[in-house]
Structure formats: structure tokens, C-alpha cells
Amino acid sequence: MEKKKTPRLKEKYINEIIPAMMKEFGYKNKMQVPRLVKIVVNMGVGEAITDIKIMDKAQEELAAITGQHPVLCRAKKAISNFKIREGQPIGCKVTLRRNIMYEFLDRFMNIALPRIRDFRGVSNKSFDENGSYNLGIREQTIFPEIEYDRIPRLQGMNITIISNSKTVKESLGFLRLLGMPFQQ
């Protein structure tokens, strides 16, 4: 049996980022260094209320982007102002872990982000108190897996990068070393 190849970003983490973080933050043990836990890619599809085919297409696109089948998210409560009933499908999400997570993050940072028009870097203020990073994207066409001619409509998504870092400063340094292009 052939052994699976380690993702490029994971090798970079093991060989370069762990020693750099230990030096920068004064960690005594390499197990103290922050690491990626998971990446959650979420697509809210409000128009699926009127046409369920839009939700099917969104799931298909999210599966092509992430390489994993998305889970359908349903409304928890009925909201009459938005014409939503309880249990109606309103979005889809994918939780990436292990090697798939590293592959997706590598493709996202090095291929998809530079394809955004007038891209000057991502905000460095989108961290929550746990050190998780949230990023919103307006259209799915920045990913090379999506064919522009075959999409019925532009669809945004939210990407959450969750690490086990204790502070925002650690998380910012960690993502910067991984290669996330932050604004100057």
C-alpha cells in the first residue's frame, strides 16, 4: 500500500512554523504551539426558500470547492418577516479537519485570495476572543474549481479558521506564519 503524501502546508507547519513560534513566544515545549483544529465553510442560501434547486446547486459548488459533501442547515425557528418556516433548508456547511483542512487552506491562501479584484490583504481585526479567524467572501468565483459560465448566481460564503491558540496575538502570529496575506 502506498503511503499518503503529507500536505505542503502541514510540512511547513512542522518544519518552519513550530520552531519560529517557539522562538517568538518563548514556548518551552512544541505542544504549546498553536495548531489548526478545523475550518468551517458556511454558505447561507436565503433564496432556497422559493426554489430548492438553488440549494442543490449551492451544495454542489461547496462540495467542489472543499472536496467534501456539505451538510444541509435547516431553520431552527419560524420567522414570519423572512417567510421562513421551522425545518426549512436555509444554508449548507462543511467542517474540514486533518489533511483536507491543510489542503483547502493552502489553495485558499495561495490561489483563491489573489484572484479577488483589487485585493490588498485580509483584515487583521476579524478574530474573536478565542483566537478563531472569520472571513467573508462575496462570490464563489474566486475558486478555480467553479466554472463561471455554469453558475446561475453569485453566492457568498463565510470561512472560519479555528486554532487552539489562547490569545488573539498568538493566533495572528500563527496565521501570518502560515502565509495568510494580512493588510499592512
Side-chain angles (χ1 to χ4, degrees), residues 51-62:
D51 187 11
I52 197 67
K53 290 179 183 167
I54 295 173
M55 178 62 77
D56 295 337
K57 190 67 176 164
Q59 279 187 304
E60 187 182 304
E61 290 169 1
L62 194 56

Side-chain angles (χ1 to χ4, degrees), residues 7 11 21 23-24 47 73-74 83 86 159 164 182:
E11 287 178 359
M21 290 287 285
K23 185 178 178 185
E24 184 178 338
E47 289 82 25
C73 297
R74 298 183 177 275
K83 297 178 180 135
E86 186 177 339
I159 298 172
N164 66 344
F182 289 108

Side-chain angles (χ1 to χ4, degrees), residues 45-52 82-85 88-90:
V45 189
E47 289 82 25
I49 296 165
T50 56
D51 187 11
I52 197 67
F82 297 120
K83 297 178 180 135
I84 294 176
R85 287 186 220 104
Q88 221 171 7
I90 55 171

Side-chain angles (χ1 to χ4, degrees), residues 90-154:
I90 55 171
C92 52
K93 71 175 182 177
V94 171
T95 302
L96 304 172
R97 298 179 196 270
R98 297 183 191 88
N99 287 349
I100 298 173
M101 165 184 67
Y102 283 102
E103 292 284 351
F104 172 78
L105 189 61
D106 191 19
R107 281 186 292 119
F108 176 67
M109 289 187 307
N110 297 317
I111 298 170
L113 279 179
R115 290 178 63 163
I116 295 175
R117 224 177 280 125
D118 299 330
F119 182 68
R120 292 187 182 88
V122 294
S123 172
N124 56 2
K125 294 175 176 51
S126 299
F127 290 95
D128 64 7
E129 64 274 354
N130 301 326
S132 298
Y133 185 71
N134 284 297
L135 177 69
I137 294 175
R138 290 200 174 108
E139 55 188 56
Q140 78 276 35
T141 57
I142 64 168
F143 290 96
E145 296 88 0
I146 302 296
E147 292 180 40
Y148 191 78
D149 300 335
R150 300 189 71 198
I151 58 168
R153 51 188 279 287
L154 293 177

Side-chain angles (χ1 to χ4, degrees), residues 8-74:
R8 189 174 64 139
L9 196 61
K10 190 171 185 178
E11 287 178 359
K12 180 180 178 182
Y13 171 73
I14 293 167
N15 299 328
E16 298 171 25
I17 295 170
I18 290 177
M21 290 287 285
M22 287 179 74
K23 185 178 178 185
E24 184 178 338
F25 290 99
Y27 298 129
K28 306 229 181 312
N29 188 337
K30 69 179 182 179
M31 296 304 283
Q32 291 176 302
V33 176
R35 62 176 162 61
L36 286 176
V37 177
K38 62 184 174 181
I39 295 175
V40 180
V41 183
N42 185 6
M43 234 184 215
V45 189
E47 289 82 25
I49 296 165
T50 56
D51 187 11
I52 197 67
K53 290 179 183 167
I54 295 173
M55 178 62 77
D56 295 337
K57 190 67 176 164
Q59 279 187 304
E60 187 182 304
E61 290 169 1
L62 194 56
I65 289 168
T66 59
Q68 189 170 308
H69 185 73
V71 174
L72 199 64
C73 297
R74 298 183 177 275

